[in-house]
Amino acid sequence: MKPRSAIAAGALLLALGVGLGAFGAHALRSLVDASSLAVWHTAVLYQLLHGLGLLLTAALGSQLHPAWRARSAALMLAGVLIFSGSLYALVLSGVKWLGAITPIGGVAMILAWLALAAAALRRP
């Protein structure tokens, strides 16, 4: 993922995360139980953190190995889509098997941070 794409994706994830957080705090509160609301908040938190992570990969671009930086950004985006996306879908639909997909997104997020470390340790 190119730096400008990472900035755009990060900004969009952050904007959407704020909106989804507000939706959870106001609209969902009366529709789901406390456990489901906690799951929703976890999805929002990880989305916001990795939205900032995408901005970080772009901001540090000149300090990082380009291929590893791109891998990191792509994995962060994939991680959010799979991790947070599956949790949002789980809460909204009540379909419990969606929780089985969530760890795939978590692994992508972990790999994203490891790829960022590799990007920092390799010469640009």
Side-chain angles (χ1 to χ4, degrees), residues 64-117:
L64 304 173
H65 187 278
W68 282 100
R69 178 193 38 75
R71 287 181 192 113
S72 175
L75 284 163
M76 281 190 199
L77 181 57
V80 169
L81 294 175
I82 297 167
F83 181 89
S84 295
S86 66
L87 292 179
Y88 295 138
L90 171 75
V91 171
L92 293 174
S93 71
V95 177
K96 299 295 183 194
W97 66 263
L98 288 167
I101 298 168
T102 306
I104 297 168
V107 169
M109 291 174 170
I110 293 167
L111 292 174
W113 292 108
L114 293 173
L116 185 60

Side-chain angles (χ1 to χ4, degrees), residues 11-60:
L12 290 171
L13 285 177
L14 290 165
L16 184 59
V18 171
L20 289 169
F23 177 74
H26 300 289
L28 276 184
R29 184 167 297 226
S30 61
L31 300 175
V32 300
D33 61 20
S35 176
S36 293
L37 198 57
V39 169
W40 186 272
H41 286 149
T42 297
V44 169
L45 174 64
Y46 278 69
Q47 179 175 332
L48 292 172
L49 289 171
H50 288 84
L52 290 173
L54 281 167
L55 294 180
L56 181 68
T57 65
L60 297 175

